[in-house]
Amino acid sequence: MRFEASPQQRAVNRRAVLGGTATALAMPALLRRAHAADPVHLISHRYPALEYYADRMRTAVPGVELDARLMPSGDAMQLQRIALSSRSAGLDLLWVNSISIANYAKNGWLEPLDDLWEKHRAEFNLDDVNPASMRGVTFEGHIYAMPLTTNVLLWAHRRDLLEEAGLALPQSWEDVIAIAEALDSPPRRNGTTLALKWDMTPHELQAVMNTVGEGWFDAEWRPIFHRERGVAAVDTYRRLAKFAVPGFTAHGNDENAVNFGQDVCAVGQQWATRCASMDDPAKSRVIGLIDWTTPPGGKQSITTDGYAISRFSGKDRDTLFRVLAGALSEESQRGAAKLATPPRQAVLNDPEVQREFRWYPAVSAAMAAAEPLPSLPEFNEAAEIATKRMVQGIVEETDIQQALDTAAKEVADLLGRRGYQQ
C-alpha cells in the first residue's frame, strides 16, 4: 500500500523542496553519487551515540569507506523519504526508529535482514541482543534493522522525599496519584511532572493505556481506547495532572529533565537517556537523590534506534550487514555505554558497568517489562489525532468519554481511508 503523508508532512516536504533548504539542495548530489558506487552512503539522525556509531562503522569492514551524513532527525527523515520514494541507489544505510520502521517496511523501502541475521548469528553473537530491542526493529515478524540504542521510560522518584514521608514505591497507578498528592507542595515543588507535548504524549500515556486501559487498538487495528477501561486510563491522568508542574501540555523531555534536576517535582516518568544528567553538577541540584524503577504494571514505552539497509541499494547486502554488525559489537557497545543504553545484554548487565552507571539495573528491569508503541505504519498520524482529544479530557476542556469517542471515530476514518477494515 502506498504511503500517504499527513498534511503536516506534506507541508514540511513542500517547504523543503520548493523553498530550497539545504537538505533539498543536497538531494541531486546524493542521486549523482549513486553512479560512483564507491563509499557506502548513510543518512542518519545526529546525537552523540549515533555519531559514535557512525565512526565505528567507518572501520567495521576493511577497505569499505563510509560516507555518513548526520543531521537533525526531521531533516534526516525528509531526505530519506525523498531518496527512498524515488528508488535512489544513492542511499545504502539509513537511521530508523521503532515507528519509522513500520512505515518504511510497509512501503517496501527496507531490506529484510532475516537471512543475514541467521547467517551471521554466531559470528556476531546476535543472540546477546536484548529481546526488547529486537522488538523495536521487527515488523510483521521480519527483522528490518540493526538495533544500536534503546531508550525506555522509567518511573523516577526522589528517594529522600519518599523516605521522609514513609511512602513505598507504587504498585498501581492509584498509588502514583496518592504519592504525587502527598509530595505536592507548590509553589516550591509539585508532586509530579508530566510530558504532554504532542510528540511525547503517546509515550507518556503508553503505560497507563496498557495497564489501566486495554491498549490502543485491537488485532485488526480498530480503536479500543474509547472503551470503559480506556476512559479510566485517561481519567487517571486527569487526576494525576492536578499535582503536576504547571504547563505540562507544553512539556517534553527537556522540560521534564529540568523539572527533576532543579527540584521542581518529586516523581514522574523519565527516559533512560536523561538519568545521567540527574547526577551532573552542571544540570542538577538533586545529585544522588533520584532513583528509578519500572512504572506500575510495566508496559511503558520503549523505543529503539537502529540502522537499516535500503531496498534500492546496489551494494552487496552481506557487506552492508557486516558494516552494521561491526557497530553492534560488544567492544563498540561498551564504548557507547556512557552515551546511550546498549542493546547488548552482556554490556547492560555487566556488574562493573552497572556500578559505573547506577541507573542501569533499573533500565535493564524496565526494558524487560516495556512495550513498544503499536507497530501500525500510520501510528504517528493516528496518535496525533487521539492524544489531542485525550489531552482535552485531561485538562477538563471536555468530557473524557466524549473526547475519546470523537477520537476513535476520527482515527477509524483515517485508517479506513488507508484501506484498513473498520
Side-chain angles (χ1 to χ4, degrees), residues 91-130:
L91 173 60
D92 303 306
L93 304 177
L94 60 150
W95 161 75
V96 290
N97 59 30
S98 304
I99 297 300
S100 63
I101 281 177
N103 188 273
Y104 289 2
K106 178 183 177 182
N107 291 338
W109 292 346
L110 301 182
E111 189 71 26
L113 304 182
D114 306 81
D115 60 329
L116 294 170
W117 194 275
E118 189 60 34
K119 176 182 178 181
H120 297 292
R121 179 184 297 275
E123 179 183 359
F124 293 105
N125 190 21
L126 297 177
D127 288 336
D128 184 47
V129 179
N130 192 297

Side-chain angles (χ1 to χ4, degrees), residues 244-265:
V245 177
F248 58 84
T249 59
H251 288 184
N253 292 336
D254 292 339
E255 292 81 8
N256 269 10
V258 170
N259 290 340
F260 272 111
Q262 296 305 307
D263 193 16
V264 178
C265 69

Side-chain angles (χ1 to χ4, degrees), residues 7 12 25 90 127 132 149 226 255 336 361:
V12 170
L25 291 174
D127 288 336
T149 71
H226 61 306
E255 292 81 8

Side-chain angles (χ1 to χ4, degrees), residues 114-177:
D114 306 81
D115 60 329
L116 294 170
W117 194 275
E118 189 60 34
K119 176 182 178 181
H120 297 292
R121 179 184 297 275
E123 179 183 359
F124 293 105
N125 190 21
L126 297 177
D127 288 336
D128 184 47
V129 179
N130 192 297
S133 299
M134 289 306 302
R135 289 198 299 271
V137 296
T138 302
F139 176 67
E140 295 187 343
H142 297 288
I143 301 169
Y144 282 99
M146 185 73 68
L148 294 177
T149 71
T150 298
N151 204 3
V152 64
L153 274 174
L154 309 167
W155 193 72
H157 54 282
R158 284 282 298 277
R159 181 185 65 257
D160 58 326
L161 298 180
L162 265 68
E163 290 175 353
E164 290 171 8
L167 297 170
L169 292 176
Q171 301 301 307
S172 68
W173 280 92
E174 290 299 320
D175 290 346
V176 171
I177 296 173

Side-chain angles (χ1 to χ4, degrees), residues 380-397:
N380 271 344
E381 295 170 86
E384 184 173 7
I385 293 169
T387 57
K388 177 182 176 180
R389 300 295 185 185
M390 291 175 182
V391 170
Q392 289 174 347
I394 290 168
V395 300
E396 300 183 345
E397 285 184 4

